[in-house]
Amino acid sequence: MMLRSPALPYRLPFCELHVHIEGTLEPHTVFALAQAKGIALPYDSVHQLQEAYRFTDLQSFLDVYYDNMKVLQTEDDFFELGAAYLRRAHGGGVAHAEIFVDPQAHSRRGIDEATVLTGLNRAIAAVGAETGISASLIVCIVRDEPVIEAERMLDRVLTTGVPITGLGLDSAEQGHPPELFAGVFDRARSAGMRLVAHAGEEGPPEYVWQALDVLGVERVDHGNRALEDRALVARLAAERIPLTMCPLSNLRLRVIDRLSDFPLLPALDAGLLVTINSDDPAYFGGYLDDNIRALVKTFALGSDELHALATNSVAASFLRESEKTRLGTGAGPSA
Ligand code: HPA
Ligand code: ZN
């Protein structure tokens, strides 16, 4: 008999499609690694570091997020980071994860793509064998760096030989429109990569249009502001383009003022293929199961809605059709 997940009220196979591996770096791990390596931190304690997690917008988060990454230096550090996330995700009921990684955030401080991607790929193999969770990697362009850096990142990633499922676009959105990266996305498509982009988290609906029409993405990450544009909503619904939404992230980055403002029900009512994800769980107060539980509490979701969210997450994944069928959508509410 399939074990009921200890963390979710329903035994459903969820896919996590929007999680940044660097955003799973827990405060105690930042401190442990800094101490072990003699790296100075601008905080005296884990508590003080957590106090710095009072964000006012995306940029205020990114400043702390990129600074903390300096403790990640060796292939083993990335292995441990990936393994800890995958074990936690499995414990929270995640059957499959498509994991974002920001190679430019590491190469600009002297850590090469092979070190990062080999460590993460080893973690996927090891924890997959241990628990049965499956996972793949999506490399993201750090959009507030020059386009040439994205070009170089893609070149180097392709030479590592590590299997990479897709290309994404993240970091500071405002003032860095998707269309800047059209050439890099074209090359990734030619190399057989699947395409996604963060759009409409802080940026306007126009950035979501560009992600679709100029970059040709198959999923939009966040996409909250797409709901401001009726024609865009109609397009996303008609083409079944998933929005990988992140409620606790939206709350902590002040995209919304309170969880009851998270546009889950309007988006579902509009026929959008919404999935629920954790984004940066070590910074925003929870993993996928924590996000689901928060929504259940806020919106009094029942088993039908949870079933729809699980089904959406499988449908929106880049798994092969046979793997989607194998995952199915579980047996509904468990006794
Ligand atoms: N938005 C953009 N870039 C990011 C995020 C996010 O929510 N998390 C990590 N990098
Ligand atoms: Zn994100």
mmCIF file of all heavy atoms in Angstrom, residues 20 58 61-62 65 170-171 198 201 222 249 253 279-280, ligand 1:
data_model
loop_
_atom_site.group_PDB
_atom_site.id
_atom_site.type_symbol
_atom_site.label_atom_id
_atom_site.label_comp_id
_atom_site.label_asym_id
_atom_site.label_seq_id
_atom_site.Cartn_x
_atom_site.Cartn_y
_atom_site.Cartn_z
ATOM 1 N N HIS A 20 13.803 27.345 -6.753
ATOM 2 C CA HIS A 20 15.198 27.713 -7.032
ATOM 3 C C HIS A 20 16.057 26.972 -6.023
ATOM 4 O O HIS A 20 15.869 27.169 -4.812
ATOM 5 C CB HIS A 20 15.397 29.219 -6.878
ATOM 6 C CG HIS A 20 14.520 30.031 -7.783
ATOM 7 N ND1 HIS A 20 14.963 30.571 -8.971
ATOM 8 C CD2 HIS A 20 13.208 30.377 -7.678
ATOM 9 C CE1 HIS A 20 13.962 31.224 -9.559
ATOM 10 N NE2 HIS A 20 12.876 31.119 -8.794
ATOM 11 N N LEU A 58 11.006 42.264 -4.463
ATOM 12 C CA LEU A 58 11.888 41.223 -5.019
ATOM 13 C C LEU A 58 13.359 41.573 -4.818
ATOM 14 O O LEU A 58 14.157 40.728 -4.399
ATOM 15 C CB LEU A 58 11.554 41.043 -6.515
ATOM 16 C CG LEU A 58 12.428 40.066 -7.312
ATOM 17 C CD1 LEU A 58 12.414 38.671 -6.719
ATOM 18 C CD2 LEU A 58 11.948 40.027 -8.779
ATOM 19 N N PHE A 61 14.938 40.906 -1.424
ATOM 20 C CA PHE A 61 15.204 39.480 -1.242
ATOM 21 C C PHE A 61 16.456 39.066 -2.012
ATOM 22 O O PHE A 61 17.340 38.378 -1.468
ATOM 23 C CB PHE A 61 13.988 38.655 -1.700
ATOM 24 C CG PHE A 61 14.336 37.267 -2.149
ATOM 25 C CD1 PHE A 61 14.759 36.313 -1.225
ATOM 26 C CD2 PHE A 61 14.274 36.906 -3.492
ATOM 27 C CE1 PHE A 61 15.108 35.028 -1.646
ATOM 28 C CE2 PHE A 61 14.621 35.638 -3.910
ATOM 29 C CZ PHE A 61 15.042 34.692 -2.991
ATOM 30 N N LEU A 62 16.544 39.484 -3.281
ATOM 31 C CA LEU A 62 17.662 39.039 -4.130
ATOM 32 C C LEU A 62 19.010 39.448 -3.531
ATOM 33 O O LEU A 62 19.992 38.700 -3.625
ATOM 34 C CB LEU A 62 17.513 39.611 -5.548
ATOM 35 C CG LEU A 62 16.338 39.037 -6.369
ATOM 36 C CD1 LEU A 62 16.148 39.837 -7.672
ATOM 37 C CD2 LEU A 62 16.529 37.552 -6.694
ATOM 38 N N TYR A 65 19.754 36.872 -0.854
ATOM 39 C CA TYR A 65 19.827 35.558 -1.532
ATOM 40 C C TYR A 65 21.177 35.380 -2.237
ATOM 41 O O TYR A 65 21.875 34.381 -2.037
ATOM 42 C CB TYR A 65 18.647 35.536 -2.487
ATOM 43 C CG TYR A 65 18.502 34.491 -3.546
ATOM 44 C CD1 TYR A 65 18.070 33.200 -3.237
ATOM 45 C CD2 TYR A 65 18.695 34.820 -4.891
ATOM 46 C CE1 TYR A 65 17.852 32.272 -4.247
ATOM 47 C CE2 TYR A 65 18.466 33.902 -5.900
ATOM 48 C CZ TYR A 65 18.051 32.627 -5.569
ATOM 49 O OH TYR A 65 17.822 31.711 -6.563
ATOM 50 N N ASP A 170 15.252 34.459 -14.698
ATOM 51 C CA ASP A 170 14.845 34.927 -13.367
ATOM 52 C C ASP A 170 15.634 36.159 -12.941
ATOM 53 O O ASP A 170 16.247 36.808 -13.773
ATOM 54 C CB ASP A 170 14.910 33.786 -12.335
ATOM 55 C CG ASP A 170 16.319 33.327 -12.023
ATOM 56 O OD1 ASP A 170 17.290 33.959 -12.475
ATOM 57 O OD2 ASP A 170 16.452 32.309 -11.321
ATOM 58 N N SER A 171 15.588 36.481 -11.657
ATOM 59 C CA SER A 171 16.214 37.652 -11.034
ATOM 60 C C SER A 171 15.372 38.912 -11.274
ATOM 61 O O SER A 171 14.187 38.802 -11.608
ATOM 62 C CB SER A 171 17.670 37.815 -11.491
ATOM 63 O OG SER A 171 18.375 38.620 -10.562
ATOM 64 N N HIS A 198 10.255 33.629 -15.826
ATOM 65 C CA HIS A 198 9.542 34.421 -14.832
ATOM 66 C C HIS A 198 8.990 35.653 -15.555
ATOM 67 O O HIS A 198 9.742 36.377 -16.225
ATOM 68 C CB HIS A 198 10.486 34.910 -13.734
ATOM 69 C CG HIS A 198 10.869 33.874 -12.722
ATOM 70 N ND1 HIS A 198 11.426 32.669 -13.048
ATOM 71 C CD2 HIS A 198 10.768 33.891 -11.357
ATOM 72 C CE1 HIS A 198 11.661 31.980 -11.941
ATOM 73 N NE2 HIS A 198 11.263 32.698 -10.900
ATOM 74 N N GLU A 201 5.572 38.804 -12.289
ATOM 75 C CA GLU A 201 5.667 38.762 -10.813
ATOM 76 C C GLU A 201 5.610 40.217 -10.326
ATOM 77 O O GLU A 201 4.707 40.594 -9.588
ATOM 78 C CB GLU A 201 6.967 38.081 -10.378
ATOM 79 C CG GLU A 201 7.146 37.986 -8.855
ATOM 80 C CD GLU A 201 8.500 37.390 -8.454
ATOM 81 O OE1 GLU A 201 9.441 37.411 -9.280
ATOM 82 O OE2 GLU A 201 8.611 36.923 -7.298
ATOM 83 N N HIS A 222 5.226 32.447 -12.103
ATOM 84 C CA HIS A 222 4.413 33.470 -11.407
ATOM 85 C C HIS A 222 3.241 33.874 -12.314
ATOM 86 O O HIS A 222 2.192 33.262 -12.270
ATOM 87 C CB HIS A 222 5.219 34.697 -10.958
ATOM 88 C CG HIS A 222 6.217 34.403 -9.887
ATOM 89 N ND1 HIS A 222 5.848 34.007 -8.627
ATOM 90 C CD2 HIS A 222 7.575 34.455 -9.889
ATOM 91 C CE1 HIS A 222 6.932 33.823 -7.890
ATOM 92 N NE2 HIS A 222 7.981 34.080 -8.629
ATOM 93 N N SER A 249 5.657 32.955 -1.402
ATOM 94 C CA SER A 249 6.609 33.893 -2.009
ATOM 95 C C SER A 249 5.926 35.232 -2.271
ATOM 96 O O SER A 249 6.456 36.304 -1.912
ATOM 97 C CB SER A 249 7.144 33.319 -3.325
ATOM 98 O OG SER A 249 7.775 34.306 -4.105
ATOM 99 N N LEU A 253 7.213 38.669 -0.570
ATOM 100 C CA LEU A 253 7.807 39.699 -1.440
ATOM 101 C C LEU A 253 6.822 40.831 -1.717
ATOM 102 O O LEU A 253 7.064 41.685 -2.569
ATOM 103 C CB LEU A 253 8.308 39.079 -2.747
ATOM 104 C CG LEU A 253 9.418 38.031 -2.584
ATOM 105 C CD1 LEU A 253 9.957 37.587 -3.939
ATOM 106 C CD2 LEU A 253 10.558 38.558 -1.714
ATOM 107 N N ASP A 279 8.998 28.259 -4.722
ATOM 108 C CA ASP A 279 9.913 29.331 -5.145
ATOM 109 C C ASP A 279 11.238 29.270 -4.378
ATOM 110 O O ASP A 279 12.202 28.711 -4.878
ATOM 111 C CB ASP A 279 9.227 30.704 -5.018
ATOM 112 C CG ASP A 279 9.782 31.744 -5.988
ATOM 113 O OD1 ASP A 279 10.637 31.389 -6.818
ATOM 114 O OD2 ASP A 279 9.353 32.908 -5.914
ATOM 115 N N ASP A 280 11.289 29.853 -3.195
ATOM 116 C CA ASP A 280 12.515 29.875 -2.379
ATOM 117 C C ASP A 280 12.138 29.517 -0.943
ATOM 118 O O ASP A 280 12.061 30.398 -0.068
ATOM 119 C CB ASP A 280 13.155 31.271 -2.438
ATOM 120 C CG ASP A 280 13.516 31.662 -3.862
ATOM 121 O OD1 ASP A 280 14.524 31.168 -4.373
ATOM 122 O OD2 ASP A 280 12.751 32.433 -4.482
HETATM 123 N N1 HPA B 1 11.743 36.002 -8.912
HETATM 124 C C1 HPA B 1 12.800 36.248 -9.669
HETATM 125 N N2 HPA B 1 13.989 35.698 -9.456
HETATM 126 C C2 HPA B 1 14.122 34.839 -8.445
HETATM 127 C C3 HPA B 1 13.052 34.542 -7.629
HETATM 128 C C4 HPA B 1 11.797 35.149 -7.882
HETATM 129 O O1 HPA B 1 10.758 34.943 -7.209
HETATM 130 N N3 HPA B 1 13.526 33.659 -6.714
HETATM 131 C C5 HPA B 1 14.828 33.430 -6.990
HETATM 132 N N4 HPA B 1 15.200 34.153 -8.042
#
